[in-house]
Amino acid sequence: MTISRMEIRKRDGLARSGIMTVHDTTVKIPAVMDTERLFPSLMSTRLSNIPLSAPEGFVRSYSVQNGDQPVTIHPLLDNPAQSGDCVMVANWHTAFHQPRNYVNWLVVLKEKTPPDTTWYAPGVALPANAHILIYTGFDFFDFRAVDLKTAQGIFCTPEGEFPKTMMESGICSCEGCRTGSLKMHNQTALLGEIALITRFIEQGQLRELVESRCRMHASHVAILRHLDNRFTFTEPRAPIARGGVMQVNSGESINRVEIRRFAERLTSRYIPPKTDVAVLLPCSAKKPYSISWSHRRFQAAVANRAHELIVTSPLGLVPRELETIYPAGHYDVPVTGYWDAEECAVISGIIARYFARNRYRRVIAHLEGGALKVAEMAAVACGITLEYSCRDHPTGDEALANLDLALAGELRIKDNRLHGMCSYQFGIDLDTRGFSVRGRFPEIFYSRNNVQCFSIDTATGMLRPTIDGWNLIPDGYRVTIDDFVPEGDVLVPGVENADPQIREGDEVLVVGARAIATGRAALPGGEMLRSRRGVAVRVRKIKRV
Ligand SMILES: [Zn+2]
């Protein structure tokens, strides 16, 4: 019997914040608490403490399922948990010693357990590891690990552990430090760190916090890298867009799932406009690039006589039409002029894949420095020959005059932002004849026969189709509902089917026998089908049929 439930307020990858209810007690998650008060059966549960690396025969003969919450799960056991359950993974502290297994076990456990369960890791949370535990999908913890540190005379902070004598050094001024209680300090430090992590989940910047926190522990960096290598596991769980700026400040940033997803879609879904002349341009600090001073000058020189492709770290290549789309319009990266070897290898690889798939008669490099270097590496790799309109100072008058001259006699191409965005976002080759454009970039509205079909969402930079717009998207991104007219958001129990390519935050069309509706997915398509409760689609407009 399910005795608990969870209401998610905000998700970011595997991390969630929200409210968990157990019997009559509500707890804000992520949380640290006296778990035995919440789950009295923990006091009497025997043999839930099976090592993660134990052999299968041992695990099967000793595991006990008594029907109580939390439900013990183990990488080698069949999943006994149902939607709404609290699940417990014992001995998770030992996984930190084996980063590769940490990720292997995590993936196995997450894939076989319903997504709408809350996750408890007993005896493991410390101020220094809470970030990675929550990032990898654990929701609540107890004070056991910090209390053990107290017994050992260890002073805990998010940055690491110190001897108890550090309490008097002024590092912390909590009540525990003021009154000489190490136990109170260590518990307060854990509570404070979890409150901070919750804030970062809510502002969509947990990854940035984790990249910063993990620097103090080799095992945390290793876990992050192993998890980034599990793209097919992490990608469906990552939101399609976030609010705010994506800070790309560490060596791990280039492996972020959003960055790899952008490159994957660029080299698989995206359809470029019909032209055979391309110009490679440098990026700008201001986003979207078009509103920057340098890009206004580039665009004036190009005058629509070539397809504009922006060479940038870490995304690789951003076609002009995709410049608003998350994360192309939302990243910040330290600009030093130096591109390291891994950056060059990854980015030239993306550019080479793009040009191997999309052939042009002429590719003009209007670049300098690292961007020029990666373009040249890519040209060699995919067997194309670059022309050069400059090798330094691309915004200078001379370089721009050269660019203008290089394009003399080339035909003007039509603005086809809508076509490019539709191919990237919905995987379709939209016929954009007859469309008119109004609005002030980047807030653009696309209409046909005076009927609005699409607009660009200025927060995510993605397209927002109206119901008339959805009529032009033949399939995909649909959520099928039962025979009812939704009143407000569509909830999980009402969902009959959902396209598995839907990601959290995607624009979707809700289709039912009695109504259709536009809205935004609150869950990935796969999780709409694997969950039992919660909001599936935040509805914008409903039309009875
Ligand atoms: Zn303190």
Side-chain angles (χ1 to χ4, degrees), residues 279-281 362-367 372 386-394 396-407:
V279 176
L280 300 175
L281 297 169
R362 300 178 65 196
V363 180
I364 301 168
H366 192 78
L367 301 166
L372 181 59
L386 297 178
E387 297 174 43
Y388 298 90
S389 50
C390 69
R391 287 179 194 269
D392 55 14
H393 305 299
D397 290 338
E398 195 190 330
L400 292 169
N402 284 342
L403 181 56
D404 178 31
L405 196 65
L407 292 169

Side-chain angles (χ1 to χ4, degrees), residues 155 167 172-178 181 184-186 188-189:
F155 176 81
M167 266 180 92
C172 179
S173 55
C174 78
E175 197 188 338
C177 288
R178 286 200 310 275
S181 167
M184 188 189 284
H185 162 81
N186 280 342
T188 307

